Amino acid sequence: MESKFNYKNFSIVIPIYNEEEILEESTNAIFSICKRMGIDFEIIFSENGSTDNTKNLAKEFEQSNSKINLIESDHPNYGEALKRGFLKCKNEIIISFDID
């Protein structure tokens, strides 16, 4: 029996906490890979109470690209960040990974 798996879209959830130094380069790389796939996608940053400039950088990405969404929290909690991100996803296939 052969199984064929087709998908039309996916969501990526990325918890971020104090990622100021790597956020821009990593986001550009992730975005580029997603675009090359040629299907609909969204990237959800679940900001996790950062104390550096991470939140502001993520807001800039969100404002400049409709494929990127930001969820904010006042306190660091990795598990809650993942859960909030999963709940925000609009697509059935969800990919989660750390930005670093």
Side-chain angles (χ1 to χ4, degrees), residues 6-21:
N6 294 318
Y7 57 94
K8 297 177 184 171
N9 53 44
F10 62 96
S11 299
I12 299 178
V13 175
I14 306 171
I16 54 175
Y17 176 77
N18 289 346
E19 310 291 356
E20 172 180 44
E21 293 182 16

Side-chain angles (χ1 to χ4, degrees), residues 6-56:
N6 294 318
Y7 57 94
K8 297 177 184 171
N9 53 44
F10 62 96
S11 299
I12 299 178
V13 175
I14 306 171
I16 54 175
Y17 176 77
N18 289 346
E19 310 291 356
E20 172 180 44
E21 293 182 16
I22 64 169
L23 188 63
E24 183 175 1
E25 182 179 343
S26 296
T27 300
N28 288 334
I30 293 165
F31 192 83
S32 176
I33 291 167
C34 291
K35 283 197 65 128
R36 280 193 306 239
M37 293 185 73
I39 59 175
D40 188 35
F41 68 93
E42 67 176 342
I43 298 172
I44 298 174
F45 286 129
S46 189
E47 200 285 317
N48 216 0
S50 296
T51 57
D52 64 1
N53 200 35
T54 297
K55 188 183 299 187
N56 291 329

Side-chain angles (χ1 to χ4, degrees), residues 59-73:
K59 282 181 185 179
E60 289 176 15
F61 276 111
E62 180 183 43
Q63 291 171 354
S64 67
N65 194 308
S66 63
K67 300 274 188 196
I68 298 176
N69 297 300
L70 173 64
I71 302 169
E72 299 178 49
S73 177

